[in-house]
C-alpha cells in the first residue's frame, strides 16, 4: 500500500505539467480521479503517436488514475464536481487564470464546500503579476527565464532544452507544494490555495547562475557541453563518437595528464597549472585534448579514464539510453497492460523507497472509463446517470 | 510558521542536489542542521564568485539551515552524529555509494538508533546497478539519459542543458520522496530508506520522448528552438533580436496567417493546411516566416501576436530575466542579510502557498557557526565541547 493511500485527488488538468504531478501522487498510492472535459477529454488524446488508437503521450502521464468525463460548463456537471470536492484532499487545475472562477469552481467557491481542500492552480505565468493573462507554453517560459539563453553551442544562438523543462518544473513544484500542504493538513486540518507558474518553477532552478550573476554580474551564455567554471569538463569527439570528461579537480586533472593523454608536461604548463589557469585557457586546452581524443575510439578513452577514477561517460542517443544496461537494471523501463493498447512500455520510478515503493496500480483510463463507477460512489442513481448521459453532461 | 515546522533534518550533503533539497525543506519551516566535513566544509565554499570572502554558490542553496562542522572520520564525530540522529526525522547524504557504510553512518546502523528515521541517499548512479560505483556528475547523467542528445542546434552536436538539470532533478526527486516518506511516518510511525540517483531522476522527466520512442520508435535529436510535433512553435530572428512563436493549433495558425504575417494564402496552401502538413514542411515554413520576421523589430511582432492571443514571448538573457517586471512582481528576487557578506540577493519561492508560505528564516551559515549551540542542545558540556575542538573533531 502506498504512502499516500489516504489521499484523494481531483485532477482537472491536461497535457503535461498537471498530469505529471497527479501521476506521481497516484504512483505513491493516492486515489486520483481525472475529470476530463466534454466531449473530447484531455487534448493529448489527440496527440500522436497512437497505439491501437490510444495516445502514447496520454498513456505515459496518466497511469494510476481513474477517469471520468464531465461537462463543467453544464450546471449538472458543476454539481458533480461539487460532490467530488466534499471528500477530496487535493484539487489540481491548469485552466488559464480566471477560467475556474467563470466556471464557478475556483478556490473561494470550493473551500465553502470543503475547508480542508488543497487547491493547486498551475498556469504559464501564475495568478498575479502583469503577464498573468497571457497564454504561456513551455517554450515561452524557457525564453523568459533565461534558461534558453544559456543553452546552445558556444557562441551560437539559444536553443530549447530538449525536454519541456518548465512544464516538468511546474509539475515538480506543484507536487512538492501539494505534499507540504497535505502535511500541514494532517497536522492542523486546514486546506489552502497554491499558485504555481511555469516561469517561476523553472527560474527557481537557476541557482548556480543566480549566484554568479548576483555575486559577480556574470551572464551565462550558450557554451556547448562545457561547464562554466571547471575545465576540462565537457564532451570531446573520438574516432567513433563522443565522450564526456569530468576532470573537475586538481587531483583528477593530474591523473588525466599523466595516465590518460600522456602529457605530464601539462601539469607544470603555466597555461594549465591550476583550475583558474585551465578555465582562462579553456579554448586552447579543449583544442589540444580534442586533437588527442579524435585518434582513438570512445571505449579506449572511457576505459583509460575509469581506470583512473576520472568521472566520464558516453553521450547516448535516447534509444541507446533506454536500452542501457544500467538504466534497465534500475528498473527505469516498465510495462503496463492497457485494456485497448495492450502491453505498453512506460518509464519506471526515479526514487526507490524501501517501505512504500511506487507502484503501477492501473493503466491510464480510456475516456470516461470510470464515470459510472464514480458517480455511483457519489450516490447518483442509475436513472440519474442515464439522464446525465442524455443531457451531454458526462 | 511553516508547514514542516515539526520536521528535523540532518543534512550531510554538499554541492548542489542535496543542499537544494534540504534548502526547500528549510524554506517550508523544517529545522535543518547542515553537518559539514572537517576541516573545510562543503566543497562549494571554495567556489567563486565570493562576496566578502563568502561563496555566492554556497549562500544561494544553504539558506534556512543551521551549520556545524564535524569530523565524521573521528570516533567522537560519529558519536555526535549518532546523538543528532536520535531526534531526527530525516537524514540526507550524497557520499559515493559505500562511503556511509565505511564511516559507520549507513541506514542499517542508524535505524537501530532511530527506527523512525527517513534516510535518503543521493548519488550519480544510485546504490544498485552495474554503474553504482562510478563517479557521476551532472554532465555524465545528461549524457547517459539521452537529454544531451536531444538538445542543440538543428542537425548539430548535442549540447549541455544550460543548468545542471540532473542535479536539480535529483534534488526534486529526493525532496518529494522525503515528503512522501514523512507522510507515511506521520501515519504509521515508520521510517525508511530512499535511494535517489541523478540519472534516474532526469530520465523520469523524458515522458514525451519516451511516449514517442515506445509508441513509434522516434528518436529525438537536437532541434534548435523547435517543437518536435507542432509548427510554427519556435524562435525567429527579428530586426533587433529574437521572438518565440507558439501558434500551436489550427485556430492560432489561421490568426497568425491573417493578422500577424498577412499571408491569408498560407491557410489554403497544401503545404501548410493542417498541423501534419506544417510539420512535414517545417523547414520551408520556418524560412518563409523568418524572411518576414527579420524586417521588423521584436516588439512589433510581440504586439501583433498578443493582440491575436497567440502565445509568444522574448528570449531574454539571464540578466534581463532577473530584471523583468513580471518576474520581479512574482517576488522571484529577494534579499537576505548575511552576517559576513551583508545584503545578498537570492531567488524567491516558486510556489505561492496561501496558509504556509515559504519564508527566509535565516541566511546560510558560516562554517561551524552553530556547532556549539547544537552540541549544547545535545547535552555536551562546555568542557567536552572545548575538548572536541582541541581534538579536531569539530
Amino acid at each position: 500500500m502506498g504512502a499516500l493511500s489516504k489521499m484523494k485527488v481531483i485532477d482537472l488538468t491536461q497535457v503535461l505539467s498537471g498530469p505529471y504531478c497527479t501521476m506521481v501522487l497516484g504512483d505513491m498510492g493516492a486515489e486520483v480521479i481525472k475529470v476530463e472535459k466534454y466531449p473530447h477529454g484531455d487534448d493529448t488524446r489527440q496527440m500522436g503517436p497512437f497505439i491501437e488508437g490510444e495516445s502514447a503521450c496520454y498513456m505515459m502521464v496518466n497511469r494510476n488514475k481513474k477517469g471520468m468525463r464531465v461537462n463543467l460548463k453544464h450546471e449538472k456537471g458543476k454539481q458533480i464536481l461539487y460532490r467530488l470536492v466534499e471528500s477530496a484532499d487535493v484539487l489540481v487545475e491548469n485552466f488559464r487564470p480566471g477560467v475556474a472562477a467563470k466556471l464557478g469552481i475556483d478556490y473561494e467557491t470550493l473551500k465553502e464546500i470543503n475547508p480542508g481542500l488543497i487547491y493547486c492552480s498551475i498556469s504559464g505565468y501564475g495568478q498575479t503579476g502583469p503577464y498573468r493573462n497571457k497564454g504561456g507554453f513551455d517554450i515561452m517560459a524557457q525564453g523568459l527565464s533565461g534558461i534558453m539563453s544559456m543553452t546552445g553551442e558556444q557562441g551560437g544562438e539559444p536553443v530549447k532544452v530538449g525536454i519541456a523543462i518548465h512544464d516538468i518544473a511546474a509539475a515538480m513544484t506543484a507536487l512538492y507544494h501539494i505534499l507540504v500542504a497535505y502535511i500541514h493538513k494532517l497536522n492542523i486540518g486546514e486546506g489552502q490555495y497554491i499558485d504555481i507558474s511555469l516561469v517561476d518553477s523553472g527560474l527557481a532552478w537557476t541557482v548556480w547562475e543566480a549566484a554568479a550573476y548576483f555575486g559577480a554580474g556574470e551572464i551565462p551564455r550558450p557554451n556547448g557541453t562545457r561547464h562554466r567554471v571547471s575545465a576540462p569538463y565537457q564532451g570531446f569527439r573520438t574516432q567513433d563518437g563522443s565522450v564526456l570528461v569530468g576532470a573537475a579537480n586538481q587531483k583528477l586533472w593530474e591523473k588525466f595528464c599523466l595516465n590518460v593523454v600522456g602529457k605530464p608536461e601539462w601539469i607544470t604548463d603555466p597555461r594549465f597549472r591550476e583550475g583558474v589557469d585551465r578555465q582562462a585557457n579553456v579554448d586552447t586546452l579543449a583544442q589540444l585534448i580534442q586533437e588527442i581524443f579524435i585518434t582513438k575510439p570512445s571505449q579506449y578513452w572511457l576505459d583509460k579514464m575509469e581506470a583512473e577514477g576520472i568521472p566520464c561517460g558516453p553521450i547516448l542517443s535516447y534509444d541507446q539510453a533506454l536500452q542501457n544496461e544500467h538504466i534497465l537494471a534500475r528498473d527505469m523501463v516498465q510495462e503496463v497492460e492497457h485494456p485497448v493498447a495492450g502491453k505498453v512500455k512506460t518509464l519506471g520510478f526515479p526514487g526507490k523507497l524501501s517501505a512504500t515503493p511506487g507502484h503501477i496500480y492501473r493503466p491510464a483510463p480510456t475516456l470516461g472509463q470510470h464515470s459510472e463507477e464514480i458517480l455511483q460512489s457519489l450516490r447518483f442513481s442509475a436513472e440519474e446517470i442515464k439522464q446525465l448521459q442524455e443531457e451531454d453532461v458526462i
Side-chain angles (χ1 to χ4, degrees), chain A:
Chain A
M1 205 169 61
L4 302 183
S5 57
K6 294 181 187 170
M7 182 193 276
K8 195 167 162 184
V9 180
I10 303 170
D11 178 10
L12 299 181
T13 69
Q14 61 166 3
V15 189
L16 180 51
S17 61
Y20 194 106
C21 165
T22 55
M23 173 185 74
V24 176
L25 296 173
D27 289 353
M28 298 296 165
E31 181 186 0
V32 181
I33 295 177
K34 183 171 173 106
V35 179
E36 296 184 61
K37 65 187 175 190
Y38 189 91
H40 299 302
D42 188 323
D43 282 350
T44 56
R45 288 194 180 274
Q46 267 52 260
M47 265 174 67
F50 298 96
I51 303 170
E52 305 292 333
E54 293 285 313
S55 159
C57 287
Y58 180 88
M59 289 190 288
M60 186 61 62
V61 291
N62 289 290
R63 70 183 178 208
N64 288 335
K65 303 176 191 177
K66 290 183 182 175
M68 70 189 298
R69 180 174 68 174
V70 179
N71 185 352
L72 292 171
K73 291 177 181 162
H74 194 293
E75 182 56 34
K76 287 190 178 174
K78 204 170 3 183
Q79 295 302 327
I80 294 172
L81 186 74
Y82 290 168
R83 232 185 261 185
L84 272 173
V85 164
E86 287 170 12
S87 62
D89 297 293
V90 177
L91 181 148
V92 194
E93 59 91 0
N94 68 348
F95 301 113
R96 270 207 199 190
V99 170
K102 216 156 59 185
L103 289 170
I105 57 170
D106 54 323
Y107 178 60
E108 297 307 313
T109 306
L110 299 189
K111 78 172 178 188
E112 297 300 322
I113 299 171
N114 178 356
L117 185 69
I118 295 159
Y119 187 115
C120 179
S121 297
I122 304 174
S123 60
Y125 298 94
Q127 308 295 314
T128 63
Y131 299 177
R132 65 187 178 281
N133 291 321
K134 291 193 192 195
F137 297 138
D138 173 77
I139 194 177
M140 282 84 208
Q142 289 198 31
L144 193 66
S145 70
I147 286 183
M148 197 180 280
S149 77
M150 52 183 92
T151 305
E153 299 203 3
Q154 207 197 356
E157 296 285 315
V159 304
K160 204 164 77 67
V161 175
I163 64 168
I165 185 174
H166 278 269
D167 270 329
I168 294 290
M172 287 291 122
T173 307
L175 175 62
Y176 78 73
H177 281 81
I178 288 168
L179 294 171
V180 162
Y182 185 66
I183 289 165
H184 181 66
K185 185 182 175 178
L186 290 177
N187 283 330
I188 314 275
E190 159 186 79
Q192 60 183 306
Y193 181 70
I194 307 171
D195 167 14
I196 300 291
S197 86
L198 267 61
V199 174
D200 295 352
S201 298
L203 184 70
W205 290 358
T206 62
V207 279
W208 270 185
E209 296 69 28
Y213 178 67
F214 292 140
E218 287 167 23
I219 300 168
R221 304 283 185 199
N223 209 12
T225 57
R226 284 186 194 170
H227 196 279
R228 273 180 218 108
V229 296
S230 187
Y233 186 106
Q234 64 182 93
F236 293 102
R237 248 168 295 163
T238 64
Q239 208 174 54
D240 63 347
S242 293
V243 296
L244 294 163
V245 176
N249 63 40
Q250 195 63 27
K251 209 165 77 185
L252 294 173
W253 161 248
E254 293 180 8
K255 285 183 176 182
F256 181 81
C257 295
L258 288 172
N259 302 324
V260 178
V261 288
K263 293 283 182 187
E265 64 270 28
W266 286 359
I267 296 174
T268 51
D269 189 319
R271 294 172 301 176
F272 311 135
R273 207 175 298 158
E274 293 186 30
V276 286
D277 305 321
R278 295 192 289 281
Q279 185 54 27
N281 297 293
V282 59
D283 286 331
T284 311
L285 176 61
Q287 200 189 319
L288 290 173
I289 296 173
Q290 184 54 75
E291 283 168 12
I292 298 171
F293 268 59
I294 199 76
T295 62
K296 304 271 184 196
S298 297
Q299 200 56 51
Y300 173 88
W301 297 115
L302 293 173
D303 290 344
K304 280 229 160 195
M305 290 189 281
E306 285 193 0
E308 298 298 317
I310 297 171
C312 61
I315 302 178
L316 298 188
S317 58
Y318 191 59
D319 55 321
Q320 290 172 328
L322 292 180
Q323 290 162 44
N324 173 271
E325 54 170 345
H326 184 75
I327 285 171
L328 295 178
R330 296 283 293 171
D331 291 327
M332 289 308 293
V333 177
Q334 303 208 5
E335 225 170 35
V336 54
E337 181 80 38
H338 186 278
V340 177
K343 271 197 185 5
V344 179
K345 283 192 174 160
T346 189
L347 293 175
F349 306 107
K352 278 64 174 170
L353 288 156
S354 66
T356 58
H359 183 72
I360 299 180
Y361 297 91
R362 56 174 77 241
T366 57
L367 184 55
Q369 185 182 347
H370 306 93
S371 293
E372 285 195 43
E373 169 192 330
I374 295 163
L375 288 168
Q376 281 164 9
S377 78
L378 295 173
R379 310 175 307 279
F380 285 88
S381 68
E383 180 57 33
E384 285 174 307
I385 292 170
K386 191 157 161 272
Q387 213 177 335
L388 290 170
Q389 283 164 338
E390 286 166 5
E391 293 176 17
D392 295 336
V393 179
I394 61 172

